[in-house]
Amino acid sequence: MAPFKIFSRIALSLVAGAALFIFVAAAVLGPYHYSFNGRIYPGVSIGGVDLSGLSPQVAAELLRQEIRYSFDGAIAFRDKGTVWIATPAELGFVLDANNSAQAAYSIGRTQLQSYGWVSQFYPMAIDLPPQFIYDERTALEYLQGLSGLIDVPTVEASLGLNGAEILLNAGQVGRELDVQLALVALRPQLQSLQDGLVDLQVDESPPVIFDASEQAEIAREILSAPLIVRDPDSNPEAPVEWVIEPETLAGMLSIERVEPEDGEAFFQVGLRNSELQAFLRGISPGLSRTPQNARFIFNDDTRQLDLLEESTTGRELLVETSAEKINRELGEGRHQISLAFDYILPPVTSQSTAEELGISELVSSQTSYFYGSSTARIQNIKVASSRYHGLLIPPGATFSMGEALGDVSLNTGFAEALIIFGDRTIKGVGGGVCQVSTTLFRTVFFGGFPVEERYSHAYRVYYYELAANGSVNTNLAGLDATVYVPLVDFKFTNDSENWLLMETYVSEQGRSLTWKFYSTSDGRTVEWSTTGLQNKVDPPKPHYEENPDLAKGVIKQVDWAVEGADVTVTRRVIRNGEEVAVDVFKTHYAPWRAVYEYGPGTELPKEAKEQGAY
């Protein structure tokens, strides 16, 4: 038989067999399917709940009653020692009973309707997982609610002042629940349909400054007692000190937050630097001390220096350093604090020697005379000359007589004596000081030292032309110098390479003042000449004026006539045979009239009336 015919016959047999099978199956299974029409086939369950033969509606209700995880389950959220418990339903995880029942009903109906036939002859069990609806928005809302309980803001510690009361607020660590991370951890826990624990992730943000209690204690300590600022060099039994009461300290207290670039922030507690420095600057002038050289006299026998007056170490208040010291020691609990000074040694100390200073001999000495001087004038000469006794002038320095003289007043030992004021000779404090300046000028002149500033008197004063025997030596005219602090000064320069020591000696009995310069000679000598008095002018006629303090008939001379004149003095300074300086001192003396005072009603002399000297 041909192959094609054989194949056709086989195919026809198969088709006929299949048709017969379908017919038989339909005949057998049709009544079975019909009997479960609208009901779940046998052996089908959801989450262990048998739904055999139940309609989807009844099955859904049964599932609601039997599967209680959404309402009876427990999900615990833990943050450290605190736990919150929620049901899955509170987290938006609920049973989808209708869809679960419908899934059970679909079993056997979506697989060529064969399950019913198979299960009739071969009973089987199918347990489907229940279906749930998860609304994550509900879980998010729940976790956000927990966030409201957990989250706290970061709070920096604060330190303040209310009057003298220190206000302290502690810092707080900030905490923030990571809601998104909690949602991620929650999902698998719910899907497991088991009770469970979710550890919450809470991010902490500590404050930069958490605890300021130590600084608060420092502030309280600062205000606990008065601050006593003390001069460390004062007598311990009678210290020089300043007391600042706590009420005042409170007004000066500063609480400042400091944030260094390379470290942790902190509060700095102390007195406000600007106010503390202002206080220190206010007291600084009274605490400053200028360094003073020791004073000596030259011993002509030993050729050494004998100490006359101890040197004084100078000092300056270190305002910034003292302010830092006060704040540092206050912070350490001390309330009695010594100021800080910069100490300055003088160039010449009490231990300096003649050899060190280059002093080995007398290099210049001059004496002036003041015969006829009043007691007050002699007192002023003694007081003024004592200011210079033992003074030292550095090499190359310019010396100001007025600066060294200092205050000329009744409070500093001076008396009232005659002085030239304007066009009159009147009583004034310090009359006689010009005897001292004139003597110094001559010592400088004949010592060959450069004169930087010199003023002559307005008229010739006979004191400055007196010789040792009391006679007038007109060759001394033009060798006077006046000083009137602070307007008129006498200055000269020590142009030698050695220190210059000055000594002054007043002989009250001999009515003389001697000024000495000690140093080491550099070989200079002085040659000088004078023109003598030239262009002489007679004094004006006498002047008479009434003085109500004088009695009738009393006439008193208060100024004396002197003729005017010009004089020029030339000085040549020679060293080692060579002329090193030539100085010309020109002086003009005005003519000076005599002045008389008389009491009211006094008959004036005939010559006064004839001259019209009123």
Short mmCIF file of all heavy atoms in Angstrom, two decimals, residues 45-68:
data_model
loop_
_atom_site.label_atom_id
_atom_site.label_comp_id
_atom_site.label_asym_id
_atom_site.label_seq_id
_atom_site.Cartn_x
_atom_site.Cartn_y
_atom_site.Cartn_z
N SER A 45 -7.91 26.40 48.76
CA SER A 45 -7.91 27.18 50.01
C SER A 45 -7.04 28.42 49.82
O SER A 45 -6.20 28.49 48.93
CB SER A 45 -7.39 26.34 51.18
OG SER A 45 -6.05 25.91 50.93
N ILE A 46 -7.26 29.38 50.69
CA ILE A 46 -6.48 30.64 50.71
C ILE A 46 -5.89 30.77 52.09
O ILE A 46 -6.62 30.84 53.09
CB ILE A 46 -7.35 31.87 50.41
CG1 ILE A 46 -7.94 31.80 49.01
CG2 ILE A 46 -6.54 33.16 50.58
CD1 ILE A 46 -6.96 31.98 47.89
N GLY A 47 -4.54 30.77 52.17
CA GLY A 47 -3.87 30.93 53.45
C GLY A 47 -4.32 29.90 54.46
O GLY A 47 -4.43 30.23 55.66
N GLY A 48 -4.62 28.66 53.98
CA GLY A 48 -5.03 27.60 54.88
C GLY A 48 -6.52 27.58 55.18
O GLY A 48 -7.00 26.71 55.90
N VAL A 49 -7.30 28.46 54.64
CA VAL A 49 -8.75 28.51 54.85
C VAL A 49 -9.41 27.79 53.66
O VAL A 49 -9.28 28.25 52.51
CB VAL A 49 -9.25 29.96 54.97
CG1 VAL A 49 -10.76 29.98 55.15
CG2 VAL A 49 -8.54 30.67 56.11
N ASP A 50 -10.11 26.65 53.96
CA ASP A 50 -10.73 25.83 52.90
C ASP A 50 -11.95 26.55 52.37
O ASP A 50 -12.88 26.90 53.11
CB ASP A 50 -11.11 24.47 53.46
CG ASP A 50 -11.64 23.52 52.39
OD1 ASP A 50 -11.50 23.88 51.19
OD2 ASP A 50 -12.16 22.48 52.74
N LEU A 51 -11.92 26.76 51.07
CA LEU A 51 -13.02 27.49 50.43
C LEU A 51 -13.82 26.58 49.49
O LEU A 51 -14.60 27.07 48.66
CB LEU A 51 -12.46 28.68 49.65
CG LEU A 51 -11.62 29.69 50.47
CD1 LEU A 51 -11.13 30.80 49.56
CD2 LEU A 51 -12.44 30.25 51.61
N SER A 52 -13.67 25.26 49.64
CA SER A 52 -14.33 24.31 48.73
C SER A 52 -15.84 24.52 48.73
O SER A 52 -16.48 24.55 49.79
CB SER A 52 -14.00 22.87 49.13
OG SER A 52 -12.60 22.66 49.12
N GLY A 53 -16.40 24.63 47.50
CA GLY A 53 -17.83 24.71 47.33
C GLY A 53 -18.45 26.02 47.70
O GLY A 53 -19.68 26.17 47.64
N LEU A 54 -17.64 27.02 48.10
CA LEU A 54 -18.20 28.31 48.49
C LEU A 54 -18.22 29.27 47.32
O LEU A 54 -17.36 29.24 46.44
CB LEU A 54 -17.37 28.93 49.62
CG LEU A 54 -17.24 28.12 50.91
CD1 LEU A 54 -16.38 28.88 51.91
CD2 LEU A 54 -18.62 27.84 51.50
N SER A 55 -19.25 30.08 47.35
CA SER A 55 -19.31 31.13 46.34
C SER A 55 -18.23 32.16 46.66
O SER A 55 -17.77 32.27 47.80
CB SER A 55 -20.67 31.80 46.34
OG SER A 55 -20.87 32.51 47.55
N PRO A 56 -17.77 32.95 45.71
CA PRO A 56 -16.75 33.98 45.98
C PRO A 56 -17.17 34.95 47.07
O PRO A 56 -16.36 35.36 47.89
CB PRO A 56 -16.57 34.68 44.64
CG PRO A 56 -16.91 33.63 43.63
CD PRO A 56 -18.05 32.84 44.23
N GLN A 57 -18.46 35.26 47.12
CA GLN A 57 -18.91 36.21 48.13
C GLN A 57 -18.80 35.63 49.53
O GLN A 57 -18.31 36.28 50.47
CB GLN A 57 -20.36 36.64 47.86
CG GLN A 57 -20.57 37.45 46.59
CD GLN A 57 -20.57 36.59 45.35
OE1 GLN A 57 -20.64 35.34 45.44
NE2 GLN A 57 -20.47 37.24 44.19
N VAL A 58 -19.26 34.38 49.65
CA VAL A 58 -19.19 33.72 50.96
C VAL A 58 -17.72 33.47 51.32
O VAL A 58 -17.32 33.62 52.48
CB VAL A 58 -20.00 32.40 50.94
CG1 VAL A 58 -19.80 31.64 52.24
CG2 VAL A 58 -21.47 32.69 50.70
N ALA A 59 -16.92 33.10 50.30
CA ALA A 59 -15.51 32.84 50.55
C ALA A 59 -14.80 34.11 51.04
O ALA A 59 -13.97 34.07 51.96
CB ALA A 59 -14.83 32.33 49.28
N ALA A 60 -15.16 35.24 50.44
CA ALA A 60 -14.54 36.51 50.84
C ALA A 60 -14.87 36.82 52.29
O ALA A 60 -14.00 37.26 53.07
CB ALA A 60 -14.99 37.63 49.92
N GLU A 61 -16.13 36.58 52.68
CA GLU A 61 -16.53 36.87 54.06
C GLU A 61 -15.81 35.94 55.02
O GLU A 61 -15.38 36.35 56.11
CB GLU A 61 -18.05 36.71 54.20
CG GLU A 61 -18.58 37.13 55.56
CD GLU A 61 -18.29 38.57 55.88
OE1 GLU A 61 -18.26 39.42 54.94
OE2 GLU A 61 -18.04 38.89 57.07
N LEU A 62 -15.67 34.65 54.59
CA LEU A 62 -14.98 33.69 55.44
C LEU A 62 -13.51 34.10 55.60
O LEU A 62 -12.95 34.02 56.71
CB LEU A 62 -15.07 32.29 54.83
CG LEU A 62 -14.34 31.17 55.63
CD1 LEU A 62 -14.95 31.06 57.02
CD2 LEU A 62 -14.44 29.86 54.87
N LEU A 63 -12.91 34.56 54.54
CA LEU A 63 -11.51 35.00 54.63
C LEU A 63 -11.35 36.17 55.59
O LEU A 63 -10.37 36.27 56.34
CB LEU A 63 -10.97 35.38 53.24
CG LEU A 63 -10.74 34.22 52.27
CD1 LEU A 63 -10.36 34.74 50.89
CD2 LEU A 63 -9.66 33.28 52.79
N ARG A 64 -12.30 37.08 55.56
CA ARG A 64 -12.23 38.23 56.48
C ARG A 64 -12.27 37.78 57.93
O ARG A 64 -11.64 38.38 58.81
CB ARG A 64 -13.38 39.19 56.19
CG ARG A 64 -13.26 39.93 54.86
CD ARG A 64 -14.34 41.00 54.73
NE ARG A 64 -14.31 41.62 53.42
CZ ARG A 64 -15.09 41.28 52.41
NH1 ARG A 64 -15.97 40.28 52.57
NH2 ARG A 64 -14.99 41.88 51.25
N GLN A 65 -13.07 36.72 58.17
CA GLN A 65 -13.20 36.24 59.54
C GLN A 65 -11.98 35.44 59.99
O GLN A 65 -11.59 35.50 61.16
CB GLN A 65 -14.46 35.36 59.65
CG GLN A 65 -15.75 36.13 59.42
CD GLN A 65 -16.97 35.21 59.40
OE1 GLN A 65 -16.86 34.01 59.69
NE2 GLN A 65 -18.11 35.76 59.03
N GLU A 66 -11.37 34.71 59.05
CA GLU A 66 -10.32 33.79 59.43
C GLU A 66 -8.91 34.38 59.34
O GLU A 66 -8.03 34.06 60.14
CB GLU A 66 -10.39 32.55 58.54
CG GLU A 66 -11.67 31.73 58.74
CD GLU A 66 -11.78 31.17 60.15
OE1 GLU A 66 -10.71 30.87 60.74
OE2 GLU A 66 -12.91 31.07 60.67
N ILE A 67 -8.67 35.23 58.36
CA ILE A 67 -7.31 35.80 58.20
C ILE A 67 -7.29 37.17 58.88
O ILE A 67 -7.75 38.17 58.31
CB ILE A 67 -6.93 35.89 56.71
CG1 ILE A 67 -6.94 34.49 56.10
CG2 ILE A 67 -5.55 36.53 56.56
CD1 ILE A 67 -6.62 34.46 54.62
N ARG A 68 -6.74 37.26 60.11
CA ARG A 68 -6.83 38.44 60.98
C ARG A 68 -5.48 39.18 61.09
O ARG A 68 -5.31 40.02 61.96
CB ARG A 68 -7.28 38.02 62.37
CG ARG A 68 -8.64 37.33 62.41
CD ARG A 68 -9.75 38.29 62.07
NE ARG A 68 -9.78 39.43 62.97
CZ ARG A 68 -10.52 40.51 62.80
NH1 ARG A 68 -11.29 40.62 61.71
NH2 ARG A 68 -10.49 41.50 63.67
#
